[in-house]
């Protein structure tokens, strides 16, 4: 196979080297690096060479070339040799590419590796350079003097695995034998209770490779900090940058900073432009701090659910006299202030953003893909999914990655605060079974070098909220002391809630805040210390298994103010099981009856390998799937699992929010997704299809929410916003399986203070009447003035001591639906509005809430990106011009003609647990073939409609070239996949 054309490097700036790479196992290449990059370069993907995945890992390259089976499918991972058995040489690989670059005089070229794992030798045109050890450090090589005179440059990189890849004990365990902890690297790669081992331990050029052209002076790691005065009316931007003069003469420089804002209509506004002059001695490296820039009432950056994610474009550039522009650096920057303290009322850490308390509801994050197949496109989906769930924080777990700038870019865009940990875990670094090495990595200096470089890489992102030393452990004393010193706060940021300081007060401090390594974010030594869990490092996070839904509402469920990890089940849909496992993996668990009346689920070996969590906990929790009847097959099992997923995670968040500020300050669910095809703790699977738990969270984490306390049967209203609610009402209606409404009540003229959860009234049904064994409850919170719905929440319930087995017969209930759809198409991107109406009963026109017209909340003049139509909110971000337009395309107002689908039925009742999915239309579809188009963003899914009710669901997705999509509808009492568009 012929090699790809080499990229051409021209002009000041960066060019990524992300295509045209080849790879080969080092033991199969007899040539030296010098020979590979001079006289004997590979000419194409001919053995032993193959097309390489860069950025990526050795195992990712082997999978791409089908040299090994997909390790995430079935038990394939067991067929791939582990590095402990093969030796490190087996996964030591050459990577090769070429590029064209011929520099004019006074220009310089840097070859940049944003990260490699674990060490490497670099050869460029026969010249050798070494990339030292460490997975989380940048490497920058000045290769100006070794570029080829004819402009044709050949690059070969020999990448070595971690020094201590470890062995996998027969029983598995958390981090295998813990040896990987001796290196500064990801620790999950030896396997955990949620993932199988990664056979190459992520060896490879796993992050961005680029070349950068500069003039004689280059910019190094500018640091942006904002300070706030007069209740956020007066704001200052501080900036310090390092500079290096690589010339042999004194450089007379003009250093500029420009701040622009994106406006409507593809225009920008220059908010500030400042130029300062300086001289830099030949060969010198220096720092320059700009005079602070003043802003009056700038648009602030807010977390998801609190307001708009306003971002400014900051550009720092340098011109050199006699040369011209020498270097340019750009970044999106959000003005915001993040503070936190240990709350005296709850003992939990309480976060404030721009002076406003924020109740944390979010999740734990490992990484996007276990083989480090990272991409901007997938990151965008990952982070938007979290925003769609109305989450406001992501915790980057210590055993995974210090996340990449692309991850943080989308957290900035969608308003997700980020808790970033360093590479210490209890299981691998001092705790665990067997007890692991308590001294951390062997090379403490390397750990600290990587830590400092990581801070510089991501510190300018608005979403980054705090640094944490480790997961369920603190770093060794010397590392912990050093991190505390590196990350100490500037005095301005030490005190919470002080608004009376002035710029003059700030300037009296020893140095500008942008001169600190960070200086603006707290450092907490461990995930169970200082306001998290019991604050003392006791094993007080969790639990991690199925619970009775009402348990989350009980006062004794959790004893501390902020739980950093609480987890449960995560079964995906049946189509994902079929797509990721052979038929023997389609066997559902055996439901083994125990003498004490509980059920033990016995999964098949493939499910067990993929870390399945059962839906029962013998001696504690009866099987929650069995409440609906013993499942018959995979489809039945997975559908019933989705019912449980929805209830389980909605109850978890509603239970925590019920105690907002009275007992809790926040909760993070373990965990939101899996970086492989795992079967536990996830709201969307590795193929990017959501579980019903996703939508249970989306409902429960609304900024304003109506809910039923499952322990007290009181109706509660949650108001997490800074605005009081007044003139609102709650409509509560109960529907039975015959389609009748035995209970209907409106509670009107209600008011709810800001930042409060208020108990409104105790539900009289089912206590006051002879209740049906199974019934539906619909709660709606709405504005009395226009019937605009603020929150809608649908429950299915059974009487105390009962079950949901009567729902089995309800599957045969034929309830008619009318679905009107209208599609907006631009290129390969579709957006479809689906208007779904339960036509089994004429609506009551005296109460307009049947139309489900949702209100859009405005707060403080900012558009709320987590309002009830979050897909529309995301479009508001996407439709902005310039850099923000990278987030996606805007749809024109023109649409296809509406399409109407009628699903016939003659019975009156609830259309229960409706679920849209999008598929590729294929005439030659094979039985069992997965035709889903993924990912898809739904404004809601797994929803139900009472008689007469109408809802609009927005569906957006991209289709591969040449594929025609179709939208299908399934539901509890709708089978076979009705094509509705």
């Amino acid at each position: 196979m012929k090699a790809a054309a080499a990229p051409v490097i021209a002009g000041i700036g960066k060019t990524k080297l992300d295509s045209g790479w080849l790879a080969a196992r080092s033991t199969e290449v007899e040539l030296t690096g010098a020979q590979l990059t001079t006289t004997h370069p590979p000419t194409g993907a001919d053995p032993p060479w193959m097309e390489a995945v860069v950025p990526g890992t050795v195992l990712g390259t082997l999978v791409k070339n089908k040299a090994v089976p997909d390790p995430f499918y079935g038990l394939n991972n067991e067929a791939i040799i582990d590095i402990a058995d093969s030796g490190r040489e087996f996964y030591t690989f050459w990577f090769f590419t070429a590029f064209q670059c011929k520099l004019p005089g006074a220009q310089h070229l840097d070859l940049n590796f944003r990260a490699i794992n674990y060490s490497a030798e670099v050869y460029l045109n026969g010249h050798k350079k070494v990339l030292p050890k460490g997975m989380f450090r940048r490497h920058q090589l000045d290769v100006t003097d070794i570029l080829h005179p004819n402009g044709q440059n050949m690059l070969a990189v020999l990448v070595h695995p971690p020094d201590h890849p470890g062995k996998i004990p027969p029983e598995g365990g958390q981090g295998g034998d813990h040896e990987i902890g001796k290196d500064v690297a990801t620790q999950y790669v030896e396997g955990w209770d949620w993932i199988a081992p990664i056979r190459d331990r992520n060896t490879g050029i796993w992050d961005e490779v680029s070349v950068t052209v500069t003039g004689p002076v280059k910019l190094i790691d500018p640091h942006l900090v904002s300070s706030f005065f007069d209740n956020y009316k007066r704001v200052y931007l501080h900036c310090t940058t390092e500079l290096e003069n690589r010339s042999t003469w004194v450089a007379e420089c003009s250093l500029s900073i420009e701040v622009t804002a994106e406006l409507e209509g593809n225009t920008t506004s220059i908010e500030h432009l400042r130029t300062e002059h300086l001289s830099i001695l030949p060969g010198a490296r220096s720092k320059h701090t700009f005079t602070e820039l003043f802003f009056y009432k700038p648009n602030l950056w807010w977390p998801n659910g609190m307001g708009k994610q306003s971002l400014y474009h900051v550009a720092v550039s340098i011109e050199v006299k006699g040369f011209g522009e020498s270097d340019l650096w750009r970044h999106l920057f959000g003005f915001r202030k993040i503070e936190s303290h240990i709350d005296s009322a709850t003992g939990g850490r309480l976060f404030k953003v721009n002076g406003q308390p924020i109740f944390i509801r979010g999740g734990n994050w490992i990484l996007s893909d276990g083989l480090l197949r990272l991409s901007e496109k997938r990151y965008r989906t990952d982070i938007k999914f979290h925003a769609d769930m109305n989450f406001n924080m992501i915790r980057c777990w210590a055993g995974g990655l210090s996340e990449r700038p692309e991850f943080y870019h989308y957290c900035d865009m969608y308003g997700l605060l980020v808790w970033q940990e360093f590479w210490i875990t209890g299981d691998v670094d001092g705790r665990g079974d067997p007890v692991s090495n308590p001294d951390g990595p062997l090379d403490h200096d390397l750990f600290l070098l990587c830590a400092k470089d990581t801070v510089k890489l991501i510190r300018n992102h608005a979403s980054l909220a705090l640094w944490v030393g480790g997961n369920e452990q603190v770093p060794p004393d010397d590392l912990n002391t050093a991190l505390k010193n590196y990350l100490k706060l500037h005095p301005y940021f030490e005190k919470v809630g002080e608004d009376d300081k002035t710029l003059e007060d700030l300037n009296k401090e020893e140095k500008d805040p942008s001169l600190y390594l960070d200086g603006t974010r707290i450092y907490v030594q461990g995930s169970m210390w200082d306001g998290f869990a019991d604050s003392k490092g006791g094993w007080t996070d969790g639990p991690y298994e199925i619970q009775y839904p009402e348990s989350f509402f009980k006062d004794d469920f959790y004893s501390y103010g902020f739980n950093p990890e609480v987890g449960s089940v995560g079964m995906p849909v049946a189509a994902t099981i079929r797509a990721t496992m052979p038929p023997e993996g389609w066997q559902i668990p055996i439901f083994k009856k125990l003498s004490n009346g509980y059920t033990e689920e016995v999964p098949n070996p493939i499910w067990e390998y993929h870390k399945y969590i059962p839906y029962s906990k013998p001696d504690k929790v009866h099987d929650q799937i069995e409440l609906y009847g013993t499942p018959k097959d995979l489809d039945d099992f997975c559908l019933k699992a989705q019912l449980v997923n929805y209830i389980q995670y909605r109850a978890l968040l509603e239970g925590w929010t019920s105690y907002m500020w009275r007992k809790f300050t926040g909760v993070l669910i373990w965990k939101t997704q899996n970086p492989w095809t795992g079967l536990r703790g996830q709201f969307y699977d590795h193929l990017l299809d959501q579980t019903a738990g996703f939508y249970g969270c989306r409902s429960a984490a609304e900024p304003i929410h109506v809910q039923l306390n499952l322990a007290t049967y009181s109706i509660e209203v949650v108001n997490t916003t800074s605005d009081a609610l007044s003139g609102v009402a709650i409509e509560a209606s109960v529907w039975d399986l015959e389609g009748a409404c035995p209970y209907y009540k409106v509670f009107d003229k209600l008011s709810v203070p800001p930042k409060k959860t208020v108990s409104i009234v105790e539900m009289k049904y089912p206590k006051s009447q002879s209740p049906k064994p199974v019934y539906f409850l619909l709660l709606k919170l709405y504005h009395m003035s226009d019937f605009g719905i603020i929150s809608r929440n649908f429950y299915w319930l059974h009487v105390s001591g009962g079950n949901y087995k009567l729902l089995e017969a309800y599957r045969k209930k034929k309830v008619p639906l009318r679905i009107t759809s209208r599609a907006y198409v631009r290129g390969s991107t579709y957006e479809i509005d689906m208007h779904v109406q339960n036509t089994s009963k004429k609506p009551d026109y005296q109460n307009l809430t049947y139309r489900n017209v949702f209100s859009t909340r405005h707060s403080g003049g900012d558009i709320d990106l987590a309002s009830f139509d979050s897909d529309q909110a995301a479009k508001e971000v996407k439709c902005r011009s310039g850099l923000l337009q990278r987030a996606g395309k805007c749809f024109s107002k023109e649409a296809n003609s509406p399409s109407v689908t009628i699903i016939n039925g003659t019975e009156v009742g609830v259309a229960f647990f409706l679920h849209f999915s999008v598929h590729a239309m294929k005439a030659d579809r094979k039985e069992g073939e997965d035709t889903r188009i993924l990912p898809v963003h739904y404004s809601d899914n797994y929803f139900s409609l009472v008689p007469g009710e109408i809802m609009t669901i927005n569906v957006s997705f991209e289709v591969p070239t040449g594929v025609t999509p179709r939208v299908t509808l399934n539901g509890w009492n709708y089978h076979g996949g009705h094509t509705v568009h």
Side-chain angles (χ1 to χ4, degrees):
M1 184 180 293
K2 199 172 182 179
V8 178
I9 313 304
I12 300 294
K14 182 176 78 172
T15 302
K16 293 181 184 179
L17 302 180
D18 56 3
S19 61
W21 286 84
L22 300 172
R25 183 169 283 115
S26 63
T27 55
E28 297 176 3
V29 177
E30 298 179 353
L31 301 169
T32 66
Q35 290 172 317
L36 287 172
T37 57
T38 53
T39 57
H40 294 80
T43 57
D46 300 315
W49 295 93
M50 63 189 81
E51 293 182 8
V53 178
V54 176
T57 65
V58 168
L59 190 55
T61 288
L62 294 173
V63 171
K64 173 184 171 67
N65 289 276
K66 296 183 169 52
V68 298
D70 179 358
F72 296 170
Y73 183 87
L75 297 177
N76 281 354
N77 198 48
E78 291 297 284
I80 303 173
I81 190 168
D82 192 82
I83 193 171
D85 301 313
S86 67
R88 293 173 69 248
E89 296 78 10
F90 187 79
Y91 287 110
T92 300
F93 265 62
W94 281 107
F95 292 86
F96 177 89
T97 193
F99 61 90
Q100 298 180 38
C101 181
K102 194 171 183 179
L103 294 177
Q107 284 191 343
H108 292 258
L109 187 79
D110 289 322
L111 174 60
N112 313 301
F113 295 86
R114 206 165 66 183
I116 56 99
N117 190 26
Y118 187 62
S119 61
E121 293 106 54
V122 175
Y123 294 84
L124 181 66
N125 302 326
H127 298 270
K128 179 182 177 181
K129 293 183 178 286
V130 174
L131 302 187
K133 298 173 182 178
M135 186 174 177
F136 302 108
R137 62 187 298 181
R138 294 171 294 171
H139 306 272
Q140 191 171 73
L141 306 174
D142 185 347
V143 296
T144 306
D145 296 337
I146 58 177
L147 294 176
H148 200 284
N150 68 7
Q152 304 294 321
N153 299 282
M154 291 183 284
L155 172 64
V157 186
L158 181 63
V159 182
H160 301 278
D163 292 347
H164 302 88
K167 296 181 179 179
I168 313 303
E171 67 275 12
Q174 311 288 78
D177 65 0
H178 309 144
E179 283 292 295
I180 195 68
K182 294 179 178 178
D183 297 328
V184 183
T186 51
Q187 296 184 357
Y188 76 91
V189 290
E190 280 201 69
W192 225 265
D193 61 2
W194 44 265
I195 195 170
I198 305 298
R199 299 306 186 189
D200 69 341
R201 308 295 190 265
N202 284 154
T203 301
I205 307 173
W206 69 273
D207 201 3
E208 178 187 282
V209 186
S210 66
V211 290
T212 306
V213 176
T214 68
V217 178
K218 74 171 182 176
L219 302 166
I220 303 170
D221 295 326
H223 185 201
L224 305 174
V225 173
S226 50
S227 59
F228 303 86
F229 305 92
D230 297 340
N231 197 27
Y232 299 88
K233 293 177 184 176
R234 293 192 302 118
V235 178
Y236 293 89
L237 177 64
H238 309 260
C239 179
T240 293
T241 184
E242 291 187 72
L243 305 110
E244 183 181 7
N245 180 6
R246 294 192 278 190
S247 74
T248 57
W249 34 273
V250 175
E252 300 295 336
C253 304
S254 297
L255 184 63
S256 299
I257 182 169
E258 181 183 83
V259 182
T260 59
E262 303 284 345
L263 304 177
E264 298 297 329
N266 295 323
T267 60
T268 59
S269 167
I270 298 177
E271 303 288 311
H272 266 290
L273 175 60
R274 182 189 298 277
T275 300
E276 299 181 355
H277 303 284
L278 63 154
S279 300
I280 308 176
L281 295 174
R285 188 162 175 165
S286 63
K287 286 186 178 180
H288 180 83
T289 301
F290 284 94
T291 302
E292 60 273 355
L293 305 179
F294 172 69
F295 294 79
Y296 183 69
K297 290 186 177 180
N299 294 322
L300 300 180
W301 182 94
W302 292 94
N304 188 28
M306 292 185 73
K308 187 177 179 181
Q309 288 75 56
S310 297
L311 294 167
Y312 289 78
H313 179 200
V314 179
V316 179
S317 61
I318 186 163
E319 290 190 3
V320 177
K321 186 176 180 180
F323 178 83
E325 185 179 63
S326 184
D327 202 0
L328 173 66
W329 177 89
R330 299 178 184 273
H331 207 284
L332 287 174
F333 183 74
F335 289 101
R336 94 289 179 270
K337 186 178 182 182
I338 297 176
E339 307 166 278
S340 72
H341 65 278
I342 298 176
D343 178 45
S344 59
T346 64
R349 185 162 289 276
L350 191 156
F351 288 87
K352 288 185 175 182
V353 180
N354 303 330
Q356 295 294 327
I358 175 172
F359 188 71
I360 298 298
R361 292 175 293 186
N364 286 266
W365 167 270
I366 311 301
L367 70 165
S368 186
D369 177 71
L371 301 189
L372 302 186
R373 294 169 293 196
L374 311 177
S375 70
E376 285 200 41
K377 185 176 182 180
R378 186 171 180 111
Y379 270 137
R380 181 193 165 207
T381 297
D382 282 321
I383 304 309
K384 187 177 187 311
F385 274 175
H386 286 74
D388 286 349
M389 287 187 282
N390 289 313
F391 285 173
N392 54 30
M393 180 176 277
I394 297 177
R395 173 193 173 208
C396 293
W397 177 72
L401 297 179
S402 50
E403 268 299 352
R404 302 296 89 194
E406 293 78 11
F407 170 92
Y408 278 94
H409 169 76
Y410 287 110
C411 288
D412 291 348
M413 296 288 289
Y414 290 112
L416 274 299
L417 297 172
V418 183
W419 157 335
Q420 179 66 66
E421 291 182 354
F422 294 108
W423 318 285
I424 297 289
T425 66
D427 295 282
V428 173
D429 297 290
R431 293 181 167 185
D433 183 16
V435 175
S436 50
N437 167 37
D439 298 325
L442 297 180
D443 189 338
H444 286 200
D445 290 338
L446 173 60
F447 182 97
L448 292 175
L449 185 153
C450 290
K452 291 175 73 174
D453 201 54
T454 295
V455 173
K456 291 178 180 180
L457 179 66
I458 58 180
R459 65 188 176 186
N460 292 311
H461 287 279
S463 54
L464 178 58
L466 73 158
W467 305 99
V468 177
N471 164 65
E472 299 175 338
Q473 180 64 302
V474 299
D477 288 344
D478 62 322
L479 294 182
N480 197 30
T481 299
L483 289 171
K484 287 179 181 179
N485 184 54
Y486 290 164
L487 297 170
K488 65 181 178 182
L489 293 173
H490 185 279
Y492 168 80
F493 294 96
E494 283 182 342
K495 299 290 180 69
V496 177
E498 289 195 0
D499 297 327
D500 56 348
K501 288 186 176 182
T502 66
L503 179 66
E504 290 71 28
D505 295 329
L506 186 149
N507 287 336
K508 290 176 185 176
E509 304 294 347
E510 60 182 84
K511 55 185 179 181
D512 187 275
S514 63
L515 282 163
Y516 281 57
L517 179 62
D518 184 330
T520 67
R521 301 171 180 90
I522 62 162
Y523 167 76
V524 176
Q525 60 187 342
S527 67
M528 300 189 299
W529 280 259
D530 304 325
F532 301 122
D534 71 353
S535 290
K536 301 174 183 178
W539 291 108
T540 48
D541 49 8
Y544 303 94
E545 65 266 333
I546 192 74
Q547 305 292 329
Y548 290 124
E550 61 271 20
S551 297
F552 294 112
F553 293 84
K554 294 181 178 178
D555 187 64
D556 61 353
F557 182 75
Y558 189 70
S559 301
Y560 307 101
F562 193 120
N563 193 343
E565 296 183 16
V566 57
S568 190
V569 292
M571 193 66 192
V573 298
T576 292
I577 296 296
R578 292 192 176 96
T580 58
M581 297 179 185
E584 53 268 31
W586 304 353
Q587 301 301 311
I588 65 174
I590 296 170
F591 288 75
K592 182 180 176 182
K593 301 296 182 183
L594 304 179
S595 58
N596 60 3
Y598 288 88
T599 296
E600 178 186 357
E601 291 185 20
V602 183
N604 68 62
I606 298 179
W607 285 26
E608 193 167 10
Y609 191 81
H610 286 252
K611 315 297 184 178
Y612 171 74
I613 284 185
Y615 284 69
S616 64
K617 186 70 175 176
D619 298 324
K620 291 185 178 180
V621 180
H622 286 285
D623 196 288
Q624 296 297 286
I625 286 180
E626 276 194 318
L627 288 178
Y628 299 89
T630 303
K632 301 182 288 292
D633 54 25
L634 180 65
D635 291 292
D636 192 29
F637 180 92
C638 289
L639 180 58
K640 289 173 178 173
Q642 299 317 309
L643 290 163
V644 181
N645 290 345
Y646 193 104
I647 289 177
Q648 182 79 178
Y649 285 109
R650 178 178 61 182
L652 189 160
L653 287 178
E654 288 184 340
W656 242 270
T657 309
S658 181
Y659 290 95
M660 180 175 67
W661 310 129
R662 292 189 295 123
K663 185 178 181 183
F664 299 133
T665 60
V667 61
L668 299 175
I669 298 175
W670 182 267
K671 48 195 178 14
T672 57
Q673 47 77 249
N674 273 304
W676 79 308
T677 50
L679 300 181
R680 64 166 60 193
Q682 61 185 356
F683 299 127
Y684 59 95
D685 59 47
H686 193 250
L687 303 184
L688 301 178
D689 199 355
Q690 300 96 328
T691 71
F694 183 107
Y695 298 98
C697 287
R698 176 176 171 78
S699 171
E702 294 173 310
I704 302 172
H705 181 63
V706 62
Q707 64 185 37
L708 179 69
N709 185 312
L710 296 179
T712 65
Y713 261 62
S714 294
I715 298 175
E716 300 173 338
V717 175
V718 177
N719 181 9
T720 68
T721 76
S722 301
D723 301 321
L725 280 176
S726 60
V728 298
I730 295 172
E731 177 190 83
S733 58
V734 170
W735 300 82
D736 62 26
L737 299 186
E738 287 71 47
C741 181
Y743 177 90
Y744 179 88
K745 184 73 174 176
V746 173
F747 308 95
D748 58 7
K749 299 178 182 178
L750 304 175
S751 297
V752 182
K755 307 289 182 181
K756 292 286 186 182
T757 297
V758 176
S759 179
I760 303 298
V761 65
E762 183 181 350
M763 274 285 294
K764 299 303 181 184
Y765 191 97
K767 293 181 181 179
S768 62
Q769 309 179 26
S770 299
K772 297 295 177 73
V774 177
Y775 59 95
F776 303 112
L777 170 66
L778 178 60
L779 300 177
K780 292 183 180 181
L781 176 69
Y782 63 93
H783 291 291
M784 295 176 64
S785 59
D786 61 2
F787 292 92
I789 293 176
I790 308 167
S791 174
R792 176 189 182 276
N793 203 351
F794 181 89
Y795 294 84
W796 52 103
L797 301 162
H798 60 71
V799 295
S800 179
N803 56 53
Y804 294 113
K805 291 181 180 178
L806 287 177
L807 285 174
E808 188 64 37
Y810 195 78
R811 285 176 141 173
K812 300 176 182 178
K813 188 104 170 174
K814 302 299 182 184
V815 176
L817 293 177
R818 177 187 175 91
I819 303 169
T820 304
S821 59
R822 186 184 291 268
Y824 303 79
V825 183
R826 181 167 180 173
S828 62
T829 305
Y830 283 68
E831 180 168 314
I832 305 175
D833 289 328
M834 316 290 296
H835 302 277
V836 188
Q837 181 175 9
N838 179 340
T839 57
S840 68
K841 180 182 177 182
K842 290 184 179 180
D844 179 2
Y845 289 98
Q846 292 184 353
N847 192 328
L848 298 181
T849 65
Y850 82 94
R851 298 180 64 86
N852 285 321
V853 177
F854 288 91
S855 295
T856 299
R857 181 174 62 86
H858 294 266
S859 178
D862 284 327
I863 299 171
D864 176 21
L865 289 188
S867 62
F868 299 98
D869 184 359
S870 71
D871 285 274
Q872 177 61 36
K875 282 187 289 179
E876 290 174 15
V877 174
K878 290 186 287 184
C879 289
R880 298 177 68 188
S881 61
L883 284 176
L884 298 190
Q885 206 162 10
R886 285 189 239 165
K889 299 176 180 178
C890 306
F891 291 96
S892 66
K893 294 296 183 182
E894 296 180 4
N896 295 342
S897 299
S899 169
V900 178
T901 301
I902 303 296
I903 298 178
N904 293 318
T906 58
E907 299 178 82
V908 176
V910 171
F912 183 50
F913 215 53
L914 303 175
H915 171 219
F916 284 116
S917 56
V918 183
H919 299 261
M921 295 183 68
K922 298 186 72 174
D924 56 347
R925 178 177 178 270
K926 301 173 184 175
E927 185 177 356
E929 182 180 359
D930 187 11
T931 60
R932 288 174 298 170
I933 293 173
L934 297 171
V936 181
H937 297 277
Y938 304 92
S939 62
D940 202 359
N941 221 349
Y942 295 99
F943 62 100
S944 303
L945 296 175
V946 303
E949 198 178 16
I950 304 170
M951 277 191 71
T952 298
I953 307 296
N954 178 272
V955 184
S956 58
F957 54 93
E958 293 185 11
V959 298
T961 303
V963 170
T964 300
R966 63 182 175 91
V967 181
T968 65
L969 177 71
N970 284 281
W972 186 258
N973 46 332
Y974 300 88
H975 317 291
H978 298 271
T979 298
V980 295
H981 189 92

